[in-house]
Amino acid sequence: MLKRINFSLIGWISLMGLWAALTFSTALIEISFTISLICWILLKLQKRRGIDPIHLPLILALFVYLGLCILSYFWSEARELSGRGALKVFKHVMIFLMVADLFQESSRKRFFENFFIAVSLLIVTNGIFQYLVGYDFLRGFRAEDASAGLRISASFGSYGKLAAYLIATLPYLYFLMLNSQKVQSFLLRPIITIPVFSLSLVLLYWTRSRGAILAFAIGMVIALIFAKKFRYLLILLIAAAGVFMFIPRSTLIHLDAEGKEQSLVERYYLWDRAISVIKARPLTGTG
């Protein structure tokens, strides 16, 4: 009976659900991950199919990192936190393995591209709604007031989480936008991807997260260099210089209630503490 069940399709659909759930529900993420993992394991037992050799070097590197995380549990000063951290790394490694295996069909890759754009459109719409109304329409999270201006979080609950999501996905959305003219299966893609990418940049700015914006700029520069898109790199650098000249001072400098720069001062003490911990246990760390 198990041979009749398409575990590959069920696992792939569950991964689609996991991607959508990233934007609004931790519970659905766990449910989708569990279903995908069970189906993937059953698929491996059913098909007795090994790992694609192309992915083998990266997979080995990931498992070495996972092994170090698990080992760190045994000398950790906070084993409960270290155990939870190792479990998260395990989940990320397994998601990579499942995606590498279940997304090999070109039709599934194309579907995910369209699905990815649809989810991005939902996030953009929700973020703009939160900026205008004060709360997002999916979970009711409110935007946060700050000296830099209104900081939006959409359905992520925290402007930092939204910024992290955006800087991880914007480069992919950017290259989908560049290649949208070549795609025949989704004629509306050029019309949709350009405004979605542009408005996603606006959302990133509205998070008022300087670190995220800087990380995104550095990431795009590296991505364009590797893709040999030097013309677009020049346009990006010119645009960044123009934005930097006209950006409000409150965005560059975040002041606290006493009128002092809050973020850099806090990070100074955090980094100073981190350096002292590294000096104390340079080989193993603290878990």
Side-chain angles (χ1 to χ4, degrees), residues 126-135 143 150-152 206 208:
N126 194 20
I128 293 174
F129 182 88
Q130 186 187 47
Y131 186 81
L132 296 176
V133 179
Y135 60 90
L150 204 62
R151 310 183 84 163
I152 65 167
W206 280 345
R208 320 289 178 176

Side-chain angles (χ1 to χ4, degrees), residues 21-26 123 126-127 130 134-145 151-165 207:
L22 279 174
T23 63
F24 68 93
S25 175
T26 303
I123 294 171
N126 194 20
Q130 186 187 47
Y135 60 90
D136 84 282
F137 59 72
L138 284 177
R139 301 187 67 182
F141 289 128
R142 293 197 166 274
E144 181 180 325
D145 288 317
R151 310 183 84 163
I152 65 167
S153 60
S155 56
F156 289 82
S158 163
Y159 64 85
K161 290 181 180 179
L162 173 60
Y165 178 89
T207 63

Side-chain angles (χ1 to χ4, degrees), residues 90-127:
F90 170 77
K91 289 180 180 179
H92 297 163
V93 171
M94 296 311 299
I95 289 172
F96 174 86
L97 290 176
M98 290 187 290
V99 170
D101 195 31
L102 299 177
F103 278 71
Q104 292 186 23
E105 296 179 18
S106 58
S107 59
R108 291 184 177 181
K109 292 177 182 177
R110 287 195 299 270
F111 182 89
F112 175 74
E113 290 176 358
N114 297 335
F115 187 75
F116 174 87
I117 294 169
V119 172
S120 299
L121 179 60
L122 175 63
I123 294 171
V124 163
T125 305
N126 194 20

Side-chain angles (χ1 to χ4, degrees), residues 54-286:
I54 296 176
H55 302 120
L56 192 57
L58 184 54
I59 290 172
L60 289 175
L62 288 173
F63 272 100
V64 168
Y65 177 64
L66 175 61
L68 290 173
C69 291
I70 294 173
L71 282 175
S72 72
Y73 169 82
F74 296 99
W75 58 69
S76 173
E77 296 178 356
R79 289 194 172 182
E80 182 180 353
L81 291 176
S82 293
R84 288 164 57 187
L87 180 60
K88 285 185 178 181
V89 174
F90 170 77
K91 289 180 180 179
H92 297 163
V93 171
M94 296 311 299
I95 289 172
F96 174 86
L97 290 176
M98 290 187 290
V99 170
D101 195 31
L102 299 177
F103 278 71
Q104 292 186 23
E105 296 179 18
S106 58
S107 59
R108 291 184 177 181
K109 292 177 182 177
R110 287 195 299 270
F111 182 89
F112 175 74
E113 290 176 358
N114 297 335
F115 187 75
F116 174 87
I117 294 169
V119 172
S120 299
L121 179 60
L122 175 63
I123 294 171
V124 163
T125 305
N126 194 20
I128 293 174
F129 182 88
Q130 186 187 47
Y131 186 81
L132 296 176
V133 179
Y135 60 90
D136 84 282
F137 59 72
L138 284 177
R139 301 187 67 182
F141 289 128
R142 293 197 166 274
E144 181 180 325
D145 288 317
S147 61
L150 204 62
R151 310 183 84 163
I152 65 167
S153 60
S155 56
F156 289 82
S158 163
Y159 64 85
K161 290 181 180 179
L162 173 60
Y165 178 89
L166 289 173
I167 64 175
T169 56
L170 269 169
Y172 182 59
L173 182 59
Y174 177 74
F175 285 103
L176 288 181
M177 180 181 68
L178 291 183
N179 296 320
S180 60
Q181 301 290 348
K182 303 176 183 178
V183 179
Q184 302 297 327
S185 61
F186 190 21
L187 298 179
L188 291 177
R189 181 181 288 187
I191 301 174
I192 295 175
T193 51
I194 294 174
V196 167
F197 176 78
S198 302
L199 291 173
S200 295
L201 288 177
V202 174
L203 293 194
L204 180 59
Y205 173 74
W206 280 345
T207 63
R208 320 289 178 176
S209 176
R210 297 170 299 181
I213 294 172
L214 180 61
F216 169 72
I218 295 173
M220 284 299 297
V221 168
I222 295 173
L224 289 171
I225 290 174
F226 273 99
K228 297 182 180 179
K229 302 283 186 179
F230 299 111
R231 181 177 60 179
Y232 295 105
L233 175 60
L234 180 61
I235 294 173
L236 176 65
L237 293 176
I238 294 174
V243 169
F244 183 79
M245 290 178 62
F246 294 100
I247 199 169
R249 184 174 179 271
S250 60
T251 301
L252 296 174
I253 303 176
H254 295 178
L255 302 178
D256 58 15
E258 299 178 355
K260 299 178 181 179
E261 165 57 50
Q262 55 179 358
S263 184
L264 294 180
V265 173
E266 292 173 357
R267 278 164 174 74
Y268 170 79
Y269 288 110
L270 287 173
W271 293 336
D272 183 64
R273 174 59 179 158
I275 291 172
S276 66
V277 171
I278 293 171
K279 287 181 178 178
R281 300 179 68 174
L283 182 61
T284 61
T286 56

